[in-house]
Amino acid sequence: MAWMAAATLCCRLLRLPSARRPPSSRTRCSAAQSPDAVDKEYADLNLRPLYPNRGHHMRIRQHVNPLSSSFSEPTEPPEWKEVFDDPLLPLMVDIGCGSGRFLIWHAKNSDKRQNYLGLEIREKLVERAQFWVNELGLMNVCFMFANATVSFQKIISSYPGPLSLVSILCPDPHFKKRHHKRRVLQQPLVDSITKNLCLGGRVFIQSDVLEVAVDMRERFDGYSDILAHVNYVDQDLQCDHEGWLLDNPMGIRTEREIHAELEGATIYRRMYQKIRDASY
């Protein structure tokens, strides 16, 4: 069955070598060391020379208001057969993919057995990430400029293959209470992810801000009849006594994750697997 094949591929992805895991005794480092740490983590991609004079020091807005009228219209889905070599392969979607290095690393190390889609609301980052993809000649990864909160359903419902994995990794916390409505993971997006995920597919969430991690956790915990926390179905993934995953199961850290751990922050992680469908 298609969903079983997708789940198998997803499990293989999540069990990539974990040699890059940071030691638990990591000490605080200065912010100046963060770019070097990111370069070291992603050294095998050798991306810096591919975007000369523009790529490494672009000025990027760190915070974007997704409620702005300029982000209110859903982004149209692409012609999938023009984006991927095989649009029937299982799809991983990274919501708020940032620079895109995380997805590009997976795409390059996946032997093209899965497709990867990055959704990002900052257009300059999408432009650079897609430039890297084109330069590397990868046909299993694509980046789109989109407000995932309003565009996810329209984009993903058109994909012809199974949605096997969705990741939301260290999203903008929008700390002020009046700005919580700007957070990417609103209830309609949770509904859409849960609806479109194939049986056996997974959702991976993480944040270095406990309040944000708890908010995401509570939203997905609300689907306990459809989504099971992964430690119930995969004994290889261990959790602490509060139910947070002890290790990053993805084989490589995101840039924000690297920065946060260098600053001594804790990363709070949860992963869910879809165990049954439901009518909506």
Side-chain angles (χ1 to χ4, degrees):
M1 295 175 65
W3 72 266
M4 292 182 66
T8 300
L9 285 175
C10 186
C11 290
R12 288 176 181 171
L13 167 66
L14 296 171
R15 286 171 181 166
L16 285 170
S18 57
R20 296 173 184 266
R21 291 178 185 168
S24 58
S25 58
R26 181 180 296 276
T27 56
R28 290 178 180 270
C29 298
S30 68
Q33 292 176 280
S34 290
D36 291 336
V38 171
D39 284 345
K40 184 177 180 180
E41 189 100 356
Y42 290 93
D44 61 324
L45 294 181
N46 196 29
L47 294 177
R48 184 184 290 201
L50 297 182
Y51 207 65
N53 304 322
R54 296 184 295 167
H56 199 68
H57 298 290
M58 289 194 309
R59 296 184 63 182
I60 302 294
R61 292 179 62 187
Q62 294 302 308
H63 303 285
V64 176
N65 179 8
L67 301 181
S68 168
S69 60
S70 57
F71 300 124
S72 62
E73 291 297 321
T75 300
E76 292 294 324
E79 291 291 336
W80 296 108
K81 61 183 179 181
E82 297 177 4
V83 170
F84 299 126
D85 270 344
D86 184 355
L88 296 179
L89 288 176
L91 180 69
M92 171 184 175
V93 179
D94 188 27
I95 294 176
C97 61
S99 75
R101 288 181 177 89
F102 176 74
L103 273 193
I104 293 173
W105 185 89
H106 280 291
K108 189 177 178 182
N109 290 281
S110 69
D111 295 324
K112 295 186 178 181
R113 302 185 65 183
Q114 180 153 343
N115 289 328
Y116 302 86
L117 176 65
L119 303 179
E120 173 56 49
I121 203 170
R122 290 167 292 178
E123 193 168 11
K124 286 185 178 180
L125 290 178
V126 173
E127 175 190 322
R128 184 179 66 179
Q130 196 58 45
F131 181 91
W132 283 337
V133 167
N134 295 338
E135 288 294 297
L136 292 171
L138 298 173
M139 288 298 295
N140 61 340
V141 58
C142 173
F143 294 92
M144 293 183 64
F145 169 53
N147 178 358
T149 306
V150 300
S151 300
F152 183 89
Q153 175 61 30
K154 189 167 189 177
I155 293 171
I156 299 307
S157 63
S158 73
Y159 184 71
L163 177 64
S164 62
L165 177 62
V166 176
S167 57
I168 307 174
L169 309 177
C170 299
D172 193 330
H174 291 290
F175 287 107
K176 295 181 180 179
K177 187 173 182 179
R178 69 175 184 272
H179 291 163
H180 286 186
K181 59 187 177 182
R182 297 182 180 180
R183 290 178 177 174
V184 65
L185 194 63
Q186 302 296 327
Q187 198 57 43
L189 179 55
V190 179
D191 295 343
S192 183
I193 291 171
T194 306
K195 175 182 177 180
N196 286 281
L197 199 67
C198 71
L199 282 174
R202 294 184 174 187
V203 180
F204 179 43
I205 56 174
Q206 75 174 21
S207 178
D208 56 303
V209 179
L210 179 58
E211 176 195 343
V212 174
V214 169
D215 180 49
M216 293 193 292
R217 173 178 179 166
E218 289 177 346
R219 291 181 184 274
F220 283 108
D221 281 354
Y223 287 88
S224 58
D225 58 330
I226 301 171
L227 303 173
H229 190 253
V230 76
N231 66 315
Y232 290 107
V233 293
D234 187 343
Q235 298 302 313
D236 291 337
L237 296 175
Q238 301 297 314
C239 298
D240 65 15
H241 67 282
E242 294 181 344
W244 302 109
L245 287 172
L246 293 174
D247 295 298
N248 180 341
M250 298 300 295
I252 196 166
R253 297 175 293 166
T254 66
E255 291 179 55
R256 177 57 202 164
E257 193 175 350
I258 294 168
H259 298 325
E261 290 187 330
L262 284 173
E263 295 167 359
T266 298
I267 308 296
Y268 302 94
R269 307 179 180 94
R270 293 276 286 177
M271 181 176 285
Y272 301 86
Q273 181 165 322
K274 189 170 183 178
I275 55 175
R276 64 177 60 90
D277 277 318
S279 57
Y280 287 82

